[in-house]
């Protein structure tokens, strides 16, 4: 069985700084794969490589057999990859519902003229998109916020809305950039159940960057530890946490 | 009764300002750049229509010429973005501002070279006759301008609310990065917004030319439209239209009731007031970021 996402020998340099250094890993269909590492280890950079925000200096990235490096940033969603951002990038002056509906953009089947005339076919399609979005709203318990503007929502809710918008695109691979950062203990707990359900009920593969080791060991099948843009250790959460190189990178030499 | 007449002619002028302001805001929202050539777009749209329909040029029927001119201006807007502005992606805002100012000069020069610098009148069926309601005499052109603007506004509202492309344009203007990862081709959408603002400018031009003579310098009233956009709150489409109407209505009343020297500055005095007391504009969507 070939992997869903395959990153091979990826290297990215910003001037003289090597952000990602000859990194290779694969994510299998149906698993939750977490990337951990100290600040500046290159975790978010890996995400930005996959979502085609950056071009790697060298190396290959394939998704389900497609060469991702051939695609532009706006074509990545069409392949079935969705992501969230560390610092939340929602459409601020729109409601929760509208944000999720933008997620349906890639499923658009109707033409501009049909949409202007609001033909029966457009109405049917619109209904279909709305139903898909309502499913996501139910799944993430967002009903109370459906028609609220993003700009007025608390941080924890926005974080969930962003996951919802990514789910609305109907992805096969979901990239979560620090889903628990800034969340309270209860909210983090909720996020943990949702990630579990996203994998089990929706069958979506999850790749996440996360600092909260409780969350990482709770939901992940495999963990990759990065330091200075290179692979430090890979394995089950327990294996990675007890790896001497990882402990040294986190706590400094001598702590082990 | 005089008040009503002043109001209608003010509203008609205001519609033209509002449509130009709409062009400013469309492009500003999508690309965070201000197109200072928007007034000259309007002038060019008027001259293209004039060139297609007036007897001494191509003599096409007005109802053929007007849609053609709108389409030509839309294509021109798109191509301008494709060949010129897209290459400035990532440059400073100042570069874009200077470029669009220069573009305005170029358009004015080209229009003068093709159609001459003398004022000309568009042979427009909108410009015929007066409408008498009770004791009030209203110019047909003024009434037509107001009706067309209302229709265009409804059309744009429908476009932005109902169509996926309209939604994609809103998304791209609110958060480019997120729009990319929702599968929206942001740069192409931005090009389409330039096209849309070209088309809106053409409509404004046709309406403006239906009300009076035009010459290549007509685009300079873009300055007033810019003031209108700021008064309405740069970044709000309904605000741009409302700002245009406010500036349009203030002018004839100031001319009627203020001393001659002061009437010209009335719109700008209002602009100053708005900037002092509501710096984000009257209809702004901008909220102060809370940290």
């Amino acid at each position: 069985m070939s992997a869903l996402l395959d990153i091979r020998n990826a290297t990215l340099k910003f001037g003289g700084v090597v952000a990602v250094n000859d990194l290779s890993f694969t994510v299998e269909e149906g698993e939750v794969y977490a990337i951990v590492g100290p600040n500046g280890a290159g975790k978010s950079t890996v995400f930005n490589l996959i979502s085609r925000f950056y071009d790697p200096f060298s190396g290959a990235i394939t998704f389900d057999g497609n060469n991702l490096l051939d695609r532009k940033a706006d074509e990545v969603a069409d392949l079935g990859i969705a992501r969230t951002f560390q610092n939340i990038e929602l459409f601020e002056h729109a409601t929760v519902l509208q944000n999720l509906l933008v997620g349906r953009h890639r499923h658009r089947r109707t033409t501009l003229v049909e949409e202007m005339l609001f033909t029966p076919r457009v109405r049917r399609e619109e209904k279909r998109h709305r139903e898909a979005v309502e499913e996501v709203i139910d799944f993430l318990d967002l009903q109370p916020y459906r028609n609220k503007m993003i700009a007025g929502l608390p941080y924890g809710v926005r974080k969930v809305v962003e996951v919802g918008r990514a789910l609305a695109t109907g992805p096969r691979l979901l990239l979560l950039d620090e889903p628990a950062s800034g969340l309270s203990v209860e909210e983090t707990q909720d996020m943990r159940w949702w990630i579990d359900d996203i994998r089990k009920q929706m069958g979506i593969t999850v790749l996440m960057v996360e600092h909260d080791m409780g969350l990482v060991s709770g939901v992940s099948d495999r963990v990759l530890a990065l330091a200075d843009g290179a692979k430090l250790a890979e394995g089950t959460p327990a294996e990675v946490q007890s790896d001497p190189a990882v402990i040294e990178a986190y706590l400094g030499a001598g702590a082990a | 009764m005089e008040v009503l007449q002043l109001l209608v002619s003010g509203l008609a002028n205001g519609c033209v300002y509002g449509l130009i302001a709409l062009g400013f805001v469309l492009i500003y929202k999508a690309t965070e750049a201000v197109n200072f050539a928007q007034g000259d777009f309007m002038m060019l749209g008027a001259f293209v229509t004039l060139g297609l329909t007036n007897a001494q040029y191509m003599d096409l029927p007005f109802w053929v010429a007007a849609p053609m001119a709108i389409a030509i201006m839309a294509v021109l807007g798109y191509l301008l973005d494709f060949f010129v502005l897209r290459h400035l992606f990532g440059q400073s805002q100042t570069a874009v501002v200077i470029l669009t100012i220069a573009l305005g000069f170029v358009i004015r020069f080209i229009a003068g070279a093709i159609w001459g610098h003398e004022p000309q009148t568009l042979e427009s069926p909108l410009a015929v006759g007066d409408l008498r309601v009770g004791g009030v005499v209203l110019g047909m052109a003024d009434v037509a301008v107001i009706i067309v603007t209302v229709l265009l506004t409804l059309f744009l509202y429908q476009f932005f609310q109902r169509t996926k492309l309209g939604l994609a344009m809103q998304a791209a203007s609110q958060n480019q990065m997120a729009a990319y990862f929702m599968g929206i081709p942001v740069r192409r959408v931005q090009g389409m917004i330039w096209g849309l603002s070209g088309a809106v400018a053409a409509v404004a031009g046709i309406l403006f030319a239906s009300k009076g003579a035009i010459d290549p310098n007509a685009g300079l009233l873009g300055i007033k439209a810019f003031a209108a956009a700021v008064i309405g709150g740069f970044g709000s489409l309904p605000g741009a239209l409302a700002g245009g109407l406010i500036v349009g209505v203030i002018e004839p009343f100031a001319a009627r009731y203020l001393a001659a020297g002061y009437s010209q500055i009335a719109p700008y005095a209002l602009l100053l007031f708005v900037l002092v007391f509501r710096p984000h504009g009257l209809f702004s969507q901008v909220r102060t970021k809370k940290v």
Side-chain angles (χ1 to χ4, degrees), chain B residues 187-266:
Chain B
R187 291 200 189 176
R188 196 165 357 124
V189 165
Q190 288 183 347
M192 287 174 187
I193 289 178
W194 274 88
L196 182 64
S197 78
V200 171
V203 174
I206 294 169
L207 296 181
F208 180 73
S210 298
K211 284 158 36 61
I214 48 159
D215 65 84
N217 284 324
L220 293 176
L221 73 83
I223 307 272
K224 272 184 210 160
F226 183 74
V230 175
I231 288 170
F234 234 96
S236 152
L237 295 177
L241 273 171
L245 292 179
I246 291 170
V247 170
V249 168
I250 280 183
E251 272 185 332
F253 280 94
R256 173 69 184 77
Y257 296 110
L258 290 182
Y262 294 99
S263 61
Q264 283 292 317
I265 61 167

Side-chain angles (χ1 to χ4, degrees), chain A:
Chain A
M1 183 185 127
S2 73
L4 185 64
L5 180 74
D6 187 343
I7 296 185
R8 202 157 292 170
N9 307 109
T11 297
L12 179 73
K13 296 174 186 175
F14 294 113
V17 182
V18 183
V20 174
N21 189 6
D22 196 28
L23 179 68
S24 300
F25 67 92
T26 60
V27 179
E28 305 292 335
E29 178 114 51
E31 75 174 333
V32 175
Y33 190 98
I35 302 177
V36 301
N39 287 324
K43 305 180 298 292
S44 289
T45 311
V46 170
F47 266 32
N48 288 334
L49 281 174
I50 298 170
S51 44
R52 302 294 299 117
F53 207 58
Y54 297 145
D55 276 317
F57 189 75
S58 61
I61 305 177
T62 54
F63 175 74
D64 193 28
N66 297 292
N67 181 4
L68 265 189
L69 302 182
D70 283 348
R71 310 290 174 129
K72 286 191 267 181
D74 57 271
E75 294 165 348
V76 170
D78 274 336
L79 289 177
I81 301 178
R83 71 169 289 181
T84 66
F85 297 83
Q86 195 177 332
N87 297 316
I88 306 186
E89 300 286 347
L90 286 165
F91 304 111
E92 291 280 320
H93 302 299
T95 65
V96 169
L97 183 65
Q98 287 166 337
N99 267 272
L100 298 196
L101 280 170
V102 174
R104 303 295 300 168
H105 185 85
R106 78 181 186 100
H107 298 284
R108 158 185 185 198
R109 305 265 177 277
T110 45
T111 65
L112 185 61
V113 178
E114 281 179 303
E115 286 164 10
M116 284 303 296
L117 297 173
F118 209 45
T119 60
R121 199 166 91 88
V122 173
R123 239 165 289 186
R124 269 201 309 280
E125 285 279 293
E126 201 89 331
K127 211 167 154 231
R128 199 170 62 87
H129 293 317
R130 180 67 191 264
E131 277 162 8
V133 164
E134 287 298 332
E135 260 173 50
V136 173
I137 288 178
D138 285 343
F139 177 71
L140 295 174
D141 294 332
L142 285 170
Q143 298 92 338
Y145 309 104
R146 189 186 283 113
N147 293 313
K148 296 253 163 59
M149 291 285 258
I150 300 296
L153 290 179
Y155 188 86
V157 178
R158 294 181 193 207
K159 204 97 195 171
V160 178
V161 174
E162 215 190 14
V163 174
R165 187 181 60 183
L167 288 177
T169 68
R172 288 179 66 191
L173 175 65
L174 179 62
L175 309 178
L176 299 173
D177 198 349
E178 303 205 9
S181 75
L183 295 189
S184 68
V185 177
E186 293 79 19
E187 287 167 336
T188 306
Q189 200 55 246
D190 284 341
M191 190 60 82
R192 181 183 161 170
W193 303 130
W194 279 324
I195 294 172
D196 249 347
D197 286 348
I198 286 168
R199 184 244 308 254
K200 287 182 185 135
Q201 290 180 16
M202 300 185 160
I204 296 169
T205 310
V206 177
L207 171 60
M208 70 172 180
V209 162
E210 184 51 60
H211 280 295
D212 186 325
M213 281 312 286
L215 179 64
V216 168
S217 32
V219 296
S220 324
D221 300 299
R222 286 193 300 152
V223 179
L224 167 72
L226 282 184
D228 299 322
K231 187 188 281 188
L232 204 57
E234 188 184 19
T236 65
E239 281 166 10
V240 169
Q241 267 177 303
S242 58
D243 190 295
V246 173
I247 294 167
E248 192 186 315
Y250 266 91
L251 305 172

